[in-house]
Amino acid sequence: MVAPGPPAFVRLAAHPLRWDLLTVLARGDHRVRELVSLLGQPQNLVSYHLRLLREAGLVTATRSGFDGRDSYYHLDLDRCADAFAAAGARLHPVLRPAPSATAPGRRRISVLFVCSGNTARSPMAEALLRHRAGDLVEVASAGTRPGSQLHPEAGRVLRSDFGLDLSGHRPRHVDAVAGQRFDRVITVCDRAREACPEFPERAHWSIPVPSDARFHDTAAEIDTRVRHLLPVLAADLT
């Protein structure tokens, strides 16, 4: 018996504008007006298709930590991966994706994470990428308005959840690394995105300011994004 039509994900992603939205959001988080500019489509049309992607659970929205009247849209790559896998398996079991491997490279990719204080989100991202990527990357972090010391909850959570030691981290200003070349610069808070100097290959992860009770969730979200970044960095080496 033939299955009744393509899976819902295939029907959803097959629309040209929705596919373009997925493609742009796969590279980083954006506000609606930025998506309108990037895609050259009317705002009402972009908002309509974003709503459909949100209802399907593929895209989420978070209030900007810089301007609470605005929102950043984020692509849930885990949900997309599950949907792709399920769609392929519907066609034939052989199309289930094989586990990906980190591609060997001749050089190391350099990555800079930036947040406001360089006391929590950016040092957590730095430590997690170094932990996940090993020799694949040279990674650093900095802040647009650095604090005096690492947030104690950032150190405690990374130690308890991932076995990582951040005791040697000292916050620094992004100006301290302005003369260095980075293959990728990723801002991990909305305020830093607005204040960060222009770097080539800059992307944004809209990660809210963590309260003491939410540091475990923040660390888990950053780790998920870091794991999704790894195949992108591996592809840069091929």
Side-chain angles (χ1 to χ4, degrees):
M1 181 178 177
V2 177
F9 173 78
V10 174
R11 297 196 300 271
L12 189 70
H15 187 281
L17 179 52
R18 289 196 290 269
W19 181 257
D20 287 345
L21 284 167
L22 293 172
T23 301
V24 171
L25 291 173
R27 297 196 292 267
D29 301 358
H30 288 283
R31 295 168 291 192
V32 169
R33 65 177 177 270
E34 295 166 347
L35 294 168
V36 167
S37 176
L38 287 167
L39 299 178
Q41 297 290 340
Q43 180 170 333
N44 63 337
L45 194 60
V46 170
S47 296
Y48 168 74
H49 288 289
L50 278 173
R51 179 176 62 80
L52 296 181
L53 293 171
R54 289 183 67 186
E55 289 174 352
L58 301 178
V59 168
T60 60
T62 58
R63 285 290 179 189
S64 169
F66 179 72
D67 181 354
R69 297 168 299 178
D70 218 341
S71 295
Y72 280 94
Y73 287 84
H74 165 64
L75 181 63
D76 189 330
L77 285 168
D78 280 336
R79 291 290 294 270
C80 286
D82 291 343
F84 267 118
R90 276 273 300 274
L91 190 60
H92 193 283
V94 77
L95 295 180
R96 290 191 180 100
S100 61
T102 300
R106 300 175 185 174
R107 65 180 182 90
R108 300 171 77 193
I109 296 289
S110 56
V111 179
L112 173 67
F113 290 104
V114 181
C115 69
S116 296
N118 193 218
T119 59
R121 286 166 287 183
S122 61
M124 293 167 74
E126 176 188 0
L128 286 164
L129 179 57
R130 184 176 291 115
H131 171 63
R132 295 289 185 190
D135 291 339
L136 178 67
V137 300
E138 294 178 2
V139 58
S141 67
T144 55
R145 299 179 63 182
S148 59
Q149 61 185 1
L150 180 76
H151 194 295
E153 280 299 298
R156 186 185 68 80
V157 166
L158 254 65
R159 184 169 54 253
S160 65
D161 293 4
F162 299 94
L164 302 179
D165 182 9
L166 292 186
S167 60
H169 177 76
R170 299 293 180 269
R172 60 177 173 175
H173 198 281
V174 70
D175 287 350
V177 296
Q180 299 180 36
R181 179 188 177 278
F182 293 96
D183 295 296
R184 291 182 179 270
V185 176
I186 301 173
T187 49
V188 293
C189 85
D190 301 336
R191 188 173 296 275
R193 184 181 191 259
E194 304 304 321
C196 184
E198 284 300 321
F199 287 93
E201 296 299 325
R202 195 177 92 174
H204 180 57
W205 297 351
S206 181
I207 299 174
V209 178
S211 64
D212 287 354
R214 290 189 56 83
F215 263 85
H216 291 281
D217 294 338
T218 299
E221 179 180 356
I222 293 173
D223 186 54
T224 296
R225 290 181 181 251
V226 162
R227 288 188 290 103
H228 293 155
L229 180 64
L230 291 177
V232 176
L233 299 180
D236 287 348
L237 291 170
T238 58

